[in-house]
Amino acid sequence: MDFSFNDQQKLIRDTVRQFVESEVRPTVKERDRAERFPAEEIRKIAELGCCGMLVPEEWGGAGLDHTSYVLMLEEVARVDTAMSTSLGVTNSAVQVPLLKFGSEAQKKKYLPRLASGEILGAFCLTEPQAGSDAAGIQARATRHGDVYKLQGTKTWVTNGSVAGIFIVFAKTDPAAGGKGISAFLVEPGFDGFRVGRHEEKMGQRCSPSVEIVLDGCEVPAENRLGEEGHGLKIALSALDGGRIGIAAQGVGLAQGALDESVKYAKQRRAFGKNIAEFQAIQWMLADMQTEIEAARGLLHYAAWLADAHPGKMGAAASKAKLYASEMVNRVVAKAVQIHGSVGYSRETDVERMYRDARVITIYEGTSEIQRTIIARELLGAGGR
């Protein structure tokens, strides 16, 4: 299924596709086993402009649209989902909020370095006792003259062990609940900042998820992102955009699983013929492709809205994320089934894909949270 992409978008898609086949696919299995971050691969893809796709040229970015961005993520996720996660966080969850809410000085200091891939970004919202309930975070930020001191622990921080800048959310006014949350730009060299334990994960093992410990972490007041009390607004805005990226990831991963399944079905022989000739296999492949194309339609509509009508993007992003994340888990399950016992072996790509897909219904808002957002829009309740 090919949408009416313009020449630039097609060039981006094809260029990234060629890159991941030549530079990423040869290393992905070994990196997954070793839990090795794709530092060299990201350095190279940054040279193509893929680390700052949504940032205007004046700040060192590529100044591209969301459709170009999701095409890039689809192609990367088709081969290495973990790498697409790291790229998605630094592009969308970090750079877009900085672009929308940052001061001129903050943009000048951080955006060119992020957009070039010199540093990566990380997004610190989730805590041990606060996931879907973002307003329930317990991290505190108290002002002392021209610095804030941050106290608390963040968990499941993507890029946390390799990032050069972190958006950290903490309560400056605990009594105000969600309205008392503020956002801060935190560098890993600040006093009181340290990386804690690394999560040992089922999948996406090349994308580090770590604990960040803030023990009186001293942050200059000039590094507050936006106004005091606007942190939840910033976080939710970032999550809206991030959900489009997660939908792209789901579509790309599912496409990769389908590609592997078609190839295997044409090669594997049973009962004297290729298994692709059996109706049972054909029907699974047909269902897989149909679901992928349905998800891709929701994804590219949401990406178009993000540029044309950003204020109306929220529910569309949730629909794309909900359907794509649940779709990819169905698709990879069929891919393993088509491969039979071979699909259960770590020698195959579909085994890794099966593990990588599971978290997609959880992060950037669970499926249940997406259904709540969609229902509220449908019922006219508004908000979250």
Side-chain angles (χ1 to χ4, degrees):
M1 184 178 184
D2 198 353
F3 291 79
S4 298
F5 302 129
N6 61 39
D7 289 344
Q8 183 182 54
Q9 291 164 345
K10 291 176 183 177
L11 178 61
I12 290 166
R13 178 195 61 193
D14 296 344
T15 300
V16 175
R17 182 176 297 170
Q18 292 170 7
F19 174 85
V20 295
E21 290 296 339
S22 63
E23 301 290 341
V24 179
R25 190 179 291 280
T27 65
V28 64
K29 284 183 182 177
E30 183 275 327
R31 285 189 287 102
D32 175 70
R33 289 190 177 109
E35 294 188 85
R36 179 169 63 81
F37 181 72
E40 182 64 13
E41 291 82 356
I42 287 182
R43 183 190 68 78
K44 290 179 179 179
I45 204 170
E47 295 174 358
L48 301 178
C50 295
C51 281
M53 296 190 75
L54 301 173
V55 173
E57 293 180 5
E58 66 179 296
W59 300 112
L64 296 170
D65 57 16
H66 277 79
T67 297
S68 298
Y69 170 61
V70 300
L71 287 171
M72 179 275 290
L73 285 181
E74 283 184 59
E75 292 302 325
V76 175
R78 185 175 57 84
V79 174
D80 185 352
T81 311
M83 182 173 166
S84 75
T85 298
S86 291
L87 288 169
V89 167
T90 196
N91 267 283
S92 181
V94 175
Q95 293 177 53
V96 172
L98 182 52
L99 185 65
K100 291 172 65 175
F101 300 100
S103 67
E104 292 296 299
Q106 290 169 345
K107 293 176 188 178
K108 183 177 180 179
K109 184 175 182 179
Y110 296 114
L111 278 178
R113 298 176 68 200
L114 285 162
S116 69
E118 176 189 344
I119 61 173
L120 296 177
F123 185 83
C124 301
L125 180 62
T126 300
E127 296 181 1
Q129 302 301 322
S132 297
D133 180 15
I137 65 171
Q138 297 300 307
R140 298 287 187 265
T142 55
R143 186 157 186 169
H144 300 266
D146 59 355
V147 301
Y148 285 88
K149 290 190 176 182
L150 275 57
Q151 193 76 33
T153 300
K154 299 294 181 177
T155 57
W156 292 100
V157 180
T158 298
N159 293 343
S161 58
V162 295
I165 190 68
F166 297 71
I167 297 183
V168 178
F169 297 89
K171 285 185 174 176
T172 45
D173 183 2
K179 294 182 179 180
I181 297 173
S182 300
F184 301 88
L185 297 168
V186 180
E187 297 180 23
F190 287 172
D191 288 344
F193 179 100
R194 69 178 175 87
V195 176
R197 71 184 183 92
H198 289 236
E199 295 291 345
E200 295 187 15
K201 301 186 296 184
M202 174 195 301
Q204 300 203 27
R205 290 159 57 84
C206 304
S207 172
S209 298
V210 305
E211 177 185 71
I212 296 297
V213 179
L214 306 162
D215 188 7
C217 179
E218 296 187 5
V219 181
E222 65 192 30
N223 273 42
R224 189 187 66 227
L225 182 62
E227 299 299 321
E228 275 199 10
H230 288 188
L232 188 59
K233 173 185 174 182
I234 294 171
L236 295 177
S237 173
L239 291 172
D240 277 346
R243 285 162 186 157
I244 295 177
I246 299 303
Q249 181 181 80
V251 169
L253 173 54
Q255 185 66 56
L258 176 61
D259 293 345
E260 290 298 316
S261 299
V262 169
K263 181 170 65 176
Y264 184 78
K266 290 180 176 179
Q267 296 171 349
R268 171 67 171 169
R269 293 185 65 80
F271 304 102
K273 53 186 176 182
N274 292 334
I275 64 171
E277 297 180 47
F278 293 108
Q279 188 180 69
I281 301 298
Q282 292 173 357
W283 282 14
M284 280 194 279
L285 293 172
D287 286 345
M288 292 161 75
Q289 185 181 41
T290 300
E291 288 210 73
I292 291 168
E293 293 191 357
R296 189 173 278 125
L298 287 169
L299 165 64
H300 287 282
Y301 174 66
W304 172 79
L305 270 181
D307 292 313
H309 304 284
K312 299 179 181 179
M313 180 188 66
S318 289
K319 292 170 191 174
K321 197 272 186 184
L322 170 63
Y323 187 78
S325 65
E326 299 203 341
M327 172 278 297
V328 68
N329 278 277
R330 293 190 292 267
V331 165
V332 294
K334 286 185 171 73
V336 171
Q337 191 72 16
I338 289 169
H339 281 72
S341 59
V342 175
Y344 200 65
S345 167
R346 288 207 169 183
E347 294 305 310
T348 63
D349 285 323
V350 296
E351 181 273 339
R352 170 177 48 81
M353 292 172 172
Y354 187 86
R355 290 184 287 107
D356 285 352
R358 187 59 193 89
V359 72
I360 301 179
T361 62
I362 299 172
Y363 57 19
E364 298 284 347
T366 63
S367 291
E368 292 71 29
I369 290 294
Q370 306 315 315
R371 289 185 172 96
T372 298
I373 294 169
I374 295 164
R376 284 181 176 173
E377 185 209 43
L378 180 65
L379 297 171
R384 284 177 174 79

